[in-house]
Amino acid sequence: MLSVANVTELPYSYFGLISLLFLLAALIYWFGISSYAVTSHVSLPGPKPWPYLGNLLDASKYGGLHNAFLEYAKRYGKVYKMYMGRDAIIAVADPETLKHVLVKDFHKFRNRPEFIAGRAPLNKGLFGARDDDWKRVRSILTPTFSSLKLKEIVPIMEEAANILLSKFENFTKEGRRNQFQDMLDQTL
C-alpha cells in the first residue's frame, strides 16, 4: 500500500529519470555531431549532415554515391565539403585544383580516410597506406606515371581496345547480343 512518503517521492524519481534520459539523449546527439566541428571553420559550401550518418542518405536519394558527388558539384561548386558518416571530406571536382593537390602539394594530403584502407595487406597500398608508408609507396610509383611512360603505353592500350572491339563485333554478328548484355550487367 502506498504511504504518504512514497507518494511525495514519486514525482522526484520521475523527474530524475526524465532528466537522466534527456541528458543521455543530448550526449548521444552531441557525440553524433561533434566530429562535424572539425570543418566548421572551413568556409566551403556543402550539404548539411545528419548526426552519425553525415551525407550518406543522399547516396540513396540520388541513386548512388557517385551521383551524389555529381549533384553536389553542380549545387555547391568545384570544391565543397561533405561527410561520410562522421568523417569530413573535402571534395575537389576541378582538374586544375586537383592537379595542384595531387602533384605539387601531395605531401600535405597523404592520409586517406581509414574506411578506404581496408585490412592487411591492402592497407599498405597507395590508397590505404598512411604517413611514412604512403610516402614510400608514392616515391616508388611516381616515376611509373611520368608523361614519357604514359606515352609509351598508349599503343598497348589501343591494341587492347581494338581486340576488345573486335570481340564485341563478333558477339553482335553471331547474334549473342543478349548474352553480351547479361555479361555487361553482371560486371557493372
Side-chain angles (χ1 to χ4, degrees):
M1 184 167 180
L2 287 174
S3 68
V4 176
N6 287 342
V7 173
T8 57
E9 292 176 16
L10 194 60
Y12 295 115
S13 64
Y14 281 129
F15 178 72
L17 181 62
I18 291 171
S19 297
L20 183 63
L21 288 175
F22 181 76
L23 179 64
L24 183 62
L27 283 173
I28 289 172
Y29 178 77
W30 176 81
F31 184 72
I33 64 167
S34 62
S35 63
Y36 302 154
V38 171
T39 57
S40 64
H41 67 282
V42 179
S43 62
L44 288 174
K48 185 172 168 67
W50 287 87
Y52 293 99
L53 301 175
N55 303 112
L56 288 175
L57 292 178
D58 288 347
S60 63
K61 177 180 171 183
Y62 295 116
L65 195 56
H66 61 292
N67 289 333
F69 278 112
L70 292 172
E71 183 62 32
Y72 292 158
K74 287 179 198 170
R75 188 177 301 163
Y76 300 112
K78 300 286 187 181
V79 180
Y80 57 90
K81 64 181 174 182
M82 64 173 291
Y83 299 88
M84 300 289 280
R86 295 179 64 227
D87 295 326
I89 291 178
I90 296 177
V92 179
D94 178 47
E96 288 303 314
T97 306
L98 198 58
K99 181 179 179 182
H100 189 76
V101 168
L102 294 176
V103 177
K104 296 178 182 167
D105 288 337
F106 71 90
H107 59 283
K108 296 178 184 175
F109 300 95
R110 59 183 176 199
N111 288 338
R112 306 295 175 263
E114 289 189 22
F115 64 86
I116 292 176
R119 290 184 229 145
L122 298 177
N123 63 348
K124 299 295 183 191
L126 183 62
F127 297 113
R130 301 182 70 77
D131 300 320
D132 290 336
D133 286 335
W134 182 85
K135 287 173 81 173
R136 181 184 55 79
V137 171
R138 169 81 187 212
S139 65
I140 291 170
L141 288 179
T142 298
T144 306
F145 294 101
S146 68
S147 58
L148 178 64
K149 300 267 182 168
L150 291 175
K151 285 178 185 174
E152 290 175 356
I153 203 167
V154 167
I156 298 169
M157 296 293 288
E158 286 177 344
E159 181 183 345
N162 288 333
I163 291 170
L164 184 62
L165 184 61
S166 68
K167 289 186 179 191
F168 287 165
E169 290 170 350
N170 288 339
F171 262 109
T172 56
K173 286 179 186 174
E174 296 171 5
R176 297 179 4 193
R177 185 184 185 292
N178 290 338
Q179 291 175 344
F180 175 70
Q181 187 64 41
D182 290 343
M183 181 179 67
L184 276 181
D185 290 342
Q186 290 174 2
T187 58
L188 299 177

